[in-house]
Amino acid sequence: IPPTFEAAEKCKALFIKEAGEEEHEDLDEEMGEPALPNVMETAFYFEQAGIGLSKDECYYIFLAFKNLISVQPIQTCRFWGKILGLEMNYIIAEVQLREGEEEEEREEEEEETVAEEEKEMGEGEEEEEQKEKEPEPPKSTYKPPPEIPKEANGTGANKYVYFVCNEPGKPWVKLPPVTPAQIVCARQIKKFFTGRLDAPIVSFPPFPGNEANYLRAQIARISAGTHVSPTGFYQFPEDEEEEEGGDTYEENPEFEPPPVAEMVESLAMWAHHVKGILKQGRCVWINPAQKSEEDEEEGEEEEEEEEEEHQEETGQPLLTLISEDEGMKNIPAWTAQASTNLIPEYSIAILQSNRWPGAYAFASGRKFENIYFGWGHKYNPESHTPALPPPAEAEFPTEPGITEAADPTVEEELAFKAAQEEALAEAEEEEEEEGEDD
Amino acid sequence: MEALSLPAALSLVAGGGAGLSPELRAALGASLPLLQRDYRFERVWFWGCIQGVRGAYYIAQGLGPDRAAPRSRLYSMNCLDWSLLTPATEEMLALAEEVKGRFQGDPSFEYSLAEINPEAAARLVQSGKEPVMKEEARLIATIEQIDRAVGIVPRGAFVKTPLGSVHENRHFEGLSLVEAKKLSSYFHFTEPTNLKNKTLLEKADLDPSTDFLNSLEHDIPQGKGSWSIQLEKGGSVVVLRSLLWLGLTFYHVPMTKQFGYVYFGTGEKNLDLPFML
């Protein structure tokens, strides 16, 4: 079967309305806001700036979202963007699941990890019995730095859940939550995506995961760096105490959209609404020196030796204006333009990110949206320099017994012997003198 | 890409997310035919757009009867008023390699070479010129580099006459689906460099009228190459994206005469390519 027809069949399948959908439509009206994002409307606005996919592809994506919503328990959903790959591309949906569903998944994950640990303990015991017969090699004293725990689902870098598919019509795959180690490593490597989620990432430093994890880490970095909204659209809720580390925001009902000319002129009219990721890899800093209950007994002595001062990292608070984003060399972090100069009454404000080429945002009245079309890499004014391998570790601690010293040469030995004989001769003379005194 | 088939072509290339707004498309539709009339080009191609920090350059190319002759290039900031660019010189190309970073978006901006490359600056001062490089010159050099490195056409689309001139092959019906997936079916549309290196056995298979250009399969890095080939819409369009100059997209509809390439990008070479594969 020629592939053209297969793909056409899949696209046609998107258009077929299932029998049970009429019931769902009644339910949706009761629920309130529709979960399905209006992809075509967003595409229209971005098209005014020359950004976006062809109308056909947008419509297929629209229908694919409809399928996603009917299959997964989704509360809100948004078209995040498209990341290009070598063999296939990724279409990415940013989703918030309904609350009950996430807890079920967490329980499943915990059960899985507990089962794995039990298996490992069982295997460890068998290995120990075998090892007792042989003399054991010296144990390494290397303690890896404590693993920084990932953020809980629904907060920080894991605030949203992401679903990806290669093409509209193909099944949606859920990406796993991101861990700080993955973000820290993703900052140091630069790799093209192949388009297959299970592809390994071969890099240095070795990436802890496969392409699905790398994709999720890049999505987290792009969201944290480039998701912006008009200043004032979101505000901190007044009921709660205003902590600087606040993660929640709500829409401001009294927001009055400023005119487009102002939004283009001054970058202070835009604000980030996603928390930035700290160097640690999380949005909220955690002190890795706080060990869990199991390790406390072993770790008490070690804590005294290894008191490294982990400086608390603070990032920018949540609704920071983007005018505070640093530029690189002489390039500002953002470029703002109006979509048209010929018809100013209907133009919209467009923001392009220079730090993440491919990230765009538009604002027109109360409507705004962010999107990403690109290869998924950050802009680096200099060339990418991969991390150097760490220096070779010492095999054993240096002690006098095993340090090498140069053997004395023949002249040195003779000189030493002569000096010793002189010392002996002097000692004998002293003894003789003392003897004579008696 | 051909000016006449611009709307259809843009929708085929839109998979990368870059395109033109309706206003610019309408402006191009009006100004490109006028360019053809004023400069007496036989063909006008819309080459693409280089994004500067403060503005974008839209580039058009005009071709004369011999398609392989040096092309005239024009640029515009709004797709309406076009300015002719001087042909690129080797000196410009050498200097442009030194200048790194984004284009500023202002054609009269001057890059101070004294900071970037003191030797080149010293040479310029000795020959009596100022040690600066204008953004316009960098633009010319970049377009020439991109065309030389990644300007591609399908095999058989152009023929070379015995007199040496090159024009479109009216018998070109398009590549087949099987051929379209192979890198060897596409050629660089510049002076060939490695045709002479082929063995006599290989040369015997070549057809001198159609195989007079470098094919893509010898592009460094070998193996994965510097191209990403994808079949979109289930194989009805084959899209090649260059990994060396990110933003160059080539499309071809197999079994038809439609093909073309366009550049939407920042005008910077991707020197990190070996680390990224």
Side-chain angles (χ1 to χ4, degrees):
Chain A
I1 305 174
T4 319
F5 305 134
E6 266 185 46
E9 297 251 346
K10 278 199 192 141
C11 286
K12 188 174 171 191
L14 283 172
F15 285 87
I16 296 174
K17 204 169 174 180
E18 292 173 23
E21 280 191 9
E22 295 183 8
E23 300 171 7
H24 283 300
E25 283 180 15
D26 293 336
L27 280 177
D28 282 342
E29 286 176 13
E30 295 172 4
M31 299 277 277
E33 284 182 26
L36 183 67
N38 196 345
V39 175
M40 299 308 290
E41 192 182 4
T42 313
F44 165 75
Y45 282 112
F46 276 116
E47 196 193 357
Q48 301 300 308
I51 302 152
L53 308 170
S54 64
K55 282 290 185 335
D56 289 353
E57 198 170 345
C58 280
Y59 208 83
Y60 292 141
I61 293 178
F62 201 10
L63 294 174
F65 269 75
K66 187 154 169 256
N67 278 352
L68 177 65
I69 287 179
S70 63
V71 170
Q72 301 275 351
I74 287 176
Q75 193 174 356
T76 62
C77 174
R78 203 177 76 81
F79 177 43
W80 186 91
K82 181 173 179 181
I83 287 190
L84 303 171
L86 295 179
E87 296 165 27
M88 289 185 283
N89 306 323
Y90 292 114
I91 294 173
I92 300 161
E94 182 182 81
V95 148
Q96 261 181 331
L97 296 176
R98 279 188 232 131
E99 290 177 17
E101 307 296 329
E102 284 184 34
E103 289 176 11
E104 282 182 20
E105 289 168 14
R106 268 189 247 167
E107 286 177 11
E108 285 178 15
E109 284 179 17
E110 284 179 10
E111 287 175 10
E112 284 177 15
T113 48
V114 165
E116 283 177 15
E117 282 177 15
E118 287 178 1
K119 276 190 216 167
E120 286 176 12
M121 301 242 304
E123 289 173 6
E125 286 174 7
E126 291 175 11
E127 287 179 5
E128 280 178 21
E129 289 175 7
Q130 290 175 2
K131 271 190 188 171
E132 282 175 8
K133 303 172 192 173
E134 301 168 358
E136 293 183 8
K139 292 207 177 132
S140 93
T141 50
Y142 169 70
K143 290 258 175 317
E147 192 185 317
I148 302 175
K150 69 177 181 192
E151 292 176 293
N153 293 351
T155 64
N158 284 323
K159 187 163 184 186
Y160 295 99
V161 177
Y162 292 91
F163 285 86
V164 296
C165 73
N166 286 122
E167 272 176 18
K170 294 212 175 147
W172 291 92
V173 177
K174 183 168 164 194
L175 288 181
V178 67
T179 65
Q182 287 167 0
I183 291 193
V184 167
C185 192
R187 284 181 171 144
Q188 295 172 305
I189 64 176
K190 196 171 177 187
K191 285 277 180 187
F192 278 122
F193 293 98
T194 60
R196 289 169 285 124
L197 284 174
D198 51 359
I201 305 272
V202 180
S203 67
F204 184 79
F207 187 77
N210 57 10
E211 181 155 319
N213 303 99
Y214 183 46
L215 179 64
R216 179 68 180 81
Q218 292 293 92
I219 293 175
R221 289 173 71 201
I222 293 174
S223 297
T226 63
H227 276 31
V228 296
S229 52
T231 308
F233 191 88
Y234 289 118
Q235 66 181 10
F236 289 114
E238 293 174 3
D239 301 336
E240 300 176 8
E241 295 175 0
E242 272 195 32
E243 303 172 1
E244 287 196 1
D247 204 11
T248 53
Y249 51 82
E250 60 180 21
E251 282 187 34
N252 179 359
E254 296 160 23
F255 169 66
E256 286 210 11
V260 169
E262 264 187 53
M263 306 243 16
V264 171
E265 289 266 339
S266 123
L267 290 179
M269 308 301 298
W270 300 81
H272 288 277
H273 61 258
V274 177
K275 242 175 162 226
I277 303 185
L278 305 169
K279 260 174 110 177
Q280 204 182 34
R282 292 169 51 106
C283 292
V284 174
W285 189 77
I286 199 173
N287 190 349
Q290 292 169 3
K291 306 212 174 170
S292 59
E293 291 180 4
E294 297 174 5
D295 295 339
E296 262 183 21
E297 300 169 0
E298 303 171 4
E300 276 177 12
E301 298 174 0
E302 295 168 16
E303 273 185 40
E304 294 173 0
E305 297 173 4
E306 299 173 4
E307 262 186 28
E308 294 174 10
E309 289 184 8
H310 294 274
Q311 290 192 344
E312 177 167 349
E313 300 171 25
T314 47
Q316 307 219 328
L318 188 55
L319 297 174
T320 328
L321 306 176
I322 67 172
S323 45
E324 312 210 0
D325 281 353
E326 296 170 4
M328 306 151 284
K329 288 192 183 178
N330 51 354
I331 310 171
W334 294 90
T335 301
Q337 284 173 345
S339 64
T340 165
N341 291 327
L342 298 173
I343 310 178
E345 50 267 22
Y346 291 114
S347 76
I348 62 178
I350 311 276
L351 264 193
Q352 292 176 21
S353 170
N354 294 328
R355 274 204 254 155
W356 290 96
Y360 303 99
F362 85 87
S364 166
R366 296 196 72 94
K367 291 201 212 292
F368 77 93
E369 190 59 72
N370 298 283
I371 209 157
Y372 182 85
F373 292 112
W375 295 89
H377 300 116
K378 193 168 189 175
Y379 176 68
N380 191 356
E382 285 96 25
S383 303
H384 167 72
T385 36
L388 291 174
E393 306 245 12
E395 286 181 12
F396 34 76
T398 50
E399 284 168 18
I402 42 178
T403 39
E404 279 190 39
D407 281 341
T409 60
V410 178
E411 292 87 5
E412 287 179 14
E413 279 188 1
L414 287 177
F416 184 66
K417 206 170 160 192
Q420 264 195 333
E421 287 174 358
E422 278 184 20
L424 271 181
E426 285 180 10
E428 286 177 7
E429 285 179 7
E430 287 178 9
E431 286 181 11
E432 289 174 4
E433 288 175 6
E434 289 173 16
E436 289 174 359
D437 287 339
D438 288 344
Chain B
M1 50 178 56
E2 280 282 341
L4 294 171
S5 53
L6 202 54
L10 281 176
S11 65
L12 291 174
V13 175
L20 292 176
S21 66
E23 182 184 328
L24 292 172
R25 284 190 209 198
L28 280 180
S31 63
L32 288 181
L34 291 178
L35 267 187
Q36 194 170 356
R37 175 200 72 184
D38 290 338
Y39 288 89
R40 300 195 214 291
F41 293 133
E42 279 206 14
R43 289 267 188 278
V44 177
W45 283 3
F46 176 62
W47 184 88
C49 161
I50 292 192
Q51 289 283 346
V53 174
R54 286 192 285 273
Y57 299 104
Y58 299 94
I59 318 283
Q61 280 182 346
L63 289 89
D66 181 2
R67 304 287 186 256
R71 306 169 197 165
S72 328
R73 295 189 173 110
L74 304 101
Y75 82 95
S76 158
M77 311 290 293
N78 57 3
C79 284
L80 284 170
D81 311 308
W82 298 88
S83 324
L84 189 62
L85 290 170
T86 54
T89 61
E90 293 298 328
E91 192 189 319
M92 266 197 248
L93 289 173
L95 280 181
E97 293 263 331
E98 307 290 334
V99 180
K100 291 200 170 52
R102 297 281 301 270
F103 278 83
Q104 291 296 324
D106 173 17
S108 52
F109 181 81
E110 298 185 341
Y111 295 94
S112 149
L113 281 175
E115 292 172 2
I116 305 169
N117 188 347
E119 299 173 354
R123 266 184 274 135
L124 275 180
V125 167
Q126 283 175 5
S127 57
K129 302 177 207 161
E130 290 179 14
V132 293
M133 181 171 200
K134 280 201 163 170
E135 174 139 314
E136 201 175 289
R138 184 178 173 207
L139 185 66
I140 299 171
T142 307
I143 301 172
E144 178 69 27
Q145 275 177 331
I146 293 180
D147 259 348
R148 274 195 204 169
V150 289
I152 59 178
V153 292
R155 180 173 179 271
F158 286 89
V159 282
K160 190 166 189 172
T161 62
L163 299 172
S165 65
V166 173
H167 29 247
E168 285 103 357
N169 181 2
R170 290 182 193 276
H171 296 287
F172 177 59
E173 288 288 336
L175 300 173
S176 69
L177 204 56
V178 171
E179 282 179 358
K181 289 192 224 165
K182 292 195 230 166
L183 274 182
S184 55
S185 327
Y186 302 98
F187 290 153
H188 289 280
F189 198 50
T190 53
E191 289 298 319
T193 50
N194 61 8
L195 276 184
K196 299 173 195 169
N197 298 345
K198 293 197 177 213
T199 63
L200 276 179
L201 271 180
E202 287 174 354
K203 279 198 214 170
D205 292 329
L206 298 180
D207 180 4
S209 62
T210 52
D211 295 316
F212 57 96
L213 300 164
N214 284 345
S215 113
L216 286 192
E217 54 188 359
H218 300 293
D219 277 1
I220 329 171
Q222 294 231 335
K224 278 193 189 166
S226 64
W227 291 93
S228 136
I229 302 191
Q230 287 183 13
L231 291 172
E232 295 200 356
K233 291 197 188 172
S236 53
V237 183
V238 60
V239 174
L240 272 81
R241 294 201 178 90
S242 166
L243 304 175
L244 188 59
W245 291 93
L246 289 176
L248 183 107
T249 317
F250 169 87
Y251 74 94
H252 173 53
V253 184
M255 306 310 291
T256 70
K257 288 182 74 151
Q258 298 172 38
F259 67 90
Y261 67 85
V262 73
Y263 181 84
F264 282 109
T266 60
E268 289 169 290
K269 199 168 183 178
N270 181 22
L271 291 167
D272 304 330
L273 180 60
F275 295 117
M276 293 168 76
L277 284 176

